[in-house]
Amino acid sequence: MEDHNTANLSEPASPAASVASAEIAAEFAALTVEEKEQRRAEWTQELARVEEEINTLRTVLASKTRHASDLKRKLGITVWKEVTDDMNQGIKNLKESTVYQRTESVLKSTGEKTASVFGSITSGISSKLSQMKNSESMRSIEASVGSAYENVKAFSSLVRWRSRS
C-alpha cells in the first residue's frame, strides 16, 4: 500500500466534512471493540483493492500513452505539430468569442479615429511646408544653394580637365 494515495482523514477539508467526520467518529465510538476491528479490517481490505485498481489503471494508462505516441510517430505527428494545432485551435476559439469580437471592433474604431487625427495633422504639416516652400526666404535659400552647387560642379570639372592635361 502507498501512503501518498491515502487522504489525511484527521484534517477535514471543509466545515461539512468536519460535521460528517464528527458523525462518523460518533458512530464508530458506539461500536463494540470486535465491530471496530471488523470495520477496520473491511476498510483496510477495500483500501488495498482501490489502491491496486489505481495502480492497474496507471499501468494501463502508461501503456496506452506509449502506444498513442508510437502511432503519432508513425503518422508523422510531432509534438511541435500538436502544440501548433492546439495553439491554432485556441486562437480560432478566441477569435470566435464575443469578447474578442467586441475588443476587435473597439480597436478598429480607435484605429480609424487615430488615423483620422494623424491624417489631419499630416495635412496641416504638408500645408505649412508648402507655404514655406513658396515663401521668398525659401526661394532665396534655394537660389543660394543652387548657385553654390553649380560653382562646385564647375570647379570640379576644371580640376579634372587640368589633371588630364
Side-chain angles (χ1 to χ4, degrees), residues 99-117:
V99 172
Y100 175 84
Q101 290 172 356
R102 279 191 237 132
T103 303
E104 184 179 38
S105 173
V106 167
L107 290 175
K108 280 182 181 178
S109 173
T110 303
E112 290 167 359
K113 290 175 184 175
T114 304
S116 173
V117 168

Side-chain angles (χ1 to χ4, degrees), residues 1 4 26 43 59 65 70 74 95 123 133 150 153 161:
M1 282 188 275
H4 67 275
W43 292 339
T59 303
T65 302
D70 289 344
K74 289 175 183 176
K95 285 183 176 181
S123 173
K133 185 177 179 183
E150 290 301 321
K153 188 175 168 184
W161 179 76

Side-chain angles (χ1 to χ4, degrees), residues 58-77 82:
R58 282 186 180 142
T59 303
V60 170
L61 180 61
S63 173
K64 297 277 186 190
T65 302
R66 277 192 304 277
H67 185 65
S69 294
D70 289 344
L71 290 173
K72 287 177 183 178
R73 184 179 41 79
K74 289 175 183 176
L75 290 169
I77 300 171
E82 286 186 90

Side-chain angles (χ1 to χ4, degrees), residues 40-70:
R40 283 184 189 274
E42 290 170 2
W43 292 339
T44 302
Q45 287 176 355
E46 185 177 355
L47 178 60
R49 277 193 311 272
V50 168
E51 287 179 341
E52 179 69 26
E53 289 175 14
I54 290 170
N55 288 330
T56 301
L57 291 171
R58 282 186 180 142
T59 303
V60 170
L61 180 61
S63 173
K64 297 277 186 190
T65 302
R66 277 192 304 277
H67 185 65
S69 294
D70 289 344

Side-chain angles (χ1 to χ4, degrees), residues 54 74 79 81 93 102 111 115 120 157:
I54 290 170
K74 289 175 183 176
V79 173
K81 181 171 179 358
N93 293 347
R102 279 191 237 132
S120 298
S157 294

